[in-house]
Amino acid sequence: MQRLSTASLPALADLAAVPTYDRSKVRPGIVHLGIGAFHRAHMAAYVDRLLGTTPEWGIVGASLRRPDTSNALAPQDFLYVLAVRGETTEYQVIGSVLDILDATSEHEKLLEIMTLPAIRIVSLTVTEKGYCHDPATGALDETHADIVHDLATPRAPVSAPGFLVEALWRRRQAGIAPFTVMSCDNLPSNGVTTARIVSRLAALRDAEFGAWVAANVAFPSTMVDRIVPATTDADRDAIGAALGIEDAWPIMTEPFTQWVIEDRFPSGRPAFETVGAQLVTDVEPFEKMKLRMLNGAHSSLAYLGYLAGKQYVSEVVADPVFRDFVHALMTEEAMPTLDMPGTDLGAYRDQLLQRFANPELGHRTWQIAMDGTQKLPQRLLGTIRDRLASGGSIDRLALGVAAWMRYVTGVDESGGVIEVKDPLSARLRTIADGAGRDAGRLVDGLLGVGEVFGDLAGNAVFRDSLVAHVERLWAVGARETVAGAR
Ligand code: CS2
């Protein structure tokens, strides 16, 4: 089978939407750190639609950890297929990514590109843990190994904040205006959080420079939304069969896509609003709605569903017990904490349930269960804090957290091993091993992970609810526990 490349595009045009602009005229204007599946299904697809009219906004991507994306896409001119799976599948070939660098071996080249005056935006999808921060407070974790490294050798950084700081430093030295830093990760107030982290790292390097970053670099917040499961070999085969072309790393996604952007780009930006993004002055209410409704429900379904032996999110919500539970979690416990005048939250919730049910996506519960320590604060714990403050019930939200606690013990309901992926997995393991089958000890041990739970650790209502749920999860399993909690 022929490999996807510029040369193969004309033959593909009958089966897929291919770039209609002249790719040879596109120039880099954006550097994107963390070019994983999400970016390739989301921002890169928006930018792809802009390049016909504004070819100065092409993307140079960088992977901070592994060279695999670059290795897969370089032989195909960085083109890839985006398969949009709804009732039918639509194929697009995305051409907005011009190059991908492996930051581990090409850090100098990456920094040189980040210093070019033509680069006016540096965007990020490095996942929650890529910010090297304390998730409970949003502050830079100054003891993080990557941060310690980047402070010792600032000219050859390894972390996303380290690359931003060094590139901003070089631009300032050279008298080049700073780029705008746009986080596209699922963090609360992601712009403010990124600003805090990057300015702090800059200040640790040089106090005056830190103040300059805080005063001169724009960090707009964004709300990003599109469900993008990890690509499987079966997906690659399906693309081959449908399009007659070999793509080493196609991306699968759903039809829905949303991008809300705070309009603060002093160095200029593409006309994102012409390709479906919403430009607003305050993103925070949108972010909160999405994190608490979509992601809060997602994580709860992932832990509970995984424990109940369900591999995919669509399988979990196909079971009325789980569906009713998550409907109630959103309606009774998440929606009352949101302030979104003019938005029909009930309709938003129903649309989420429909998206979760998409049987074509194959979105694994295990994938969402990853990195719980980095995700729980903004997905469930902030909601719980607000509910406790207003005297509302928290039992369903707490069941989501309890399911995470049960999950990180590393043993599933049939005695099988759970591969717990989390930057704090070793610590979680020690706590779980020390607790044995004692729910109180497990809960207290995990609540003691201060960078996740913060002040919530001392709340008796929350603790009691967790202990009762963990006991039940052990005694009757996830499905029965959920059935009793609807
Ligand atoms: C998911 C998200 O993996 C996860 O934790 O909850 O990636 C989710 O699919 C996206 O945020 C949807 O926009």
Side-chain angles (χ1 to χ4, degrees), residues 4 12 16 40 73 76 79-84 90-94 239 243 245-247 249-252:
L4 174 64
L12 266 180
R40 291 166 61 201
L73 299 192
Q76 49 193 62
L79 293 165
Y80 60 91
V81 174
L82 181 63
V84 182
E90 311 223 329
Y91 301 95
Q92 297 168 19
V93 177
I94 304 295
I239 298 294
L243 303 180
I245 200 100
E246 187 199 338
D247 180 345
W249 204 334
I251 302 293
M252 311 295 126

Side-chain angles (χ1 to χ4, degrees), residues 38 128 186 224-228 254 290 294-295 298-299 355 363 367-370 375 379:
F38 180 75
E128 297 85 346
N186 286 315
V224 294
D225 189 7
R226 197 168 209 187
I227 295 176
V228 190
E254 60 173 339
K290 193 258 172 173
L294 189 154
N295 297 110
H298 239 184
S299 288
R355 291 170 61 197
H363 197 193
Q367 184 184 341
I368 301 164
M370 240 182 264
K375 293 174 176 174
R379 295 180 176 209

Side-chain angles (χ1 to χ4, degrees), residues 80 141 218 238 292 327 352:
Y80 60 91
D141 174 3
R292 293 185 172 193
H327 186 283
L352 290 179

Side-chain angles (χ1 to χ4, degrees), residues 271-290:
F272 290 126
E273 69 280 12
T274 62
V275 289
Q278 294 161 258
L279 278 293
V280 301
T281 48
D282 185 11
V283 174
E284 217 155 295
F286 293 93
E287 272 190 324
K288 211 179 202 187
M289 172 181 79
K290 193 258 172 173

Side-chain angles (χ1 to χ4, degrees), residues 33-35 63-65 123-135 138-141 144-147 150 157-165 181 183-187 190 193-194 197-198 201 370-371 373-375 378 422-424:
L33 304 182
I35 184 154
S63 306
L64 299 186
R65 299 270 165 244
S123 49
L124 299 94
T125 47
V126 292
T127 80
E128 297 85 346
K129 62 178 175 286
Y131 290 80
C132 309
H133 72 310
D134 175 344
L140 178 71
D141 174 3
H144 192 292
D146 292 352
I147 296 303
D150 290 356
V158 293
S159 72
F163 273 100
L164 292 167
V165 166
V181 179
S183 166
C184 293
D185 279 296
N186 286 315
L187 296 176
N190 56 11
T193 303
T194 309
I197 291 165
V198 173
L201 182 59
M370 240 182 264
D371 294 345
T373 57
Q374 313 296 300
K375 293 174 176 174
Q378 56 276 19
D422 194 288
L424 303 186

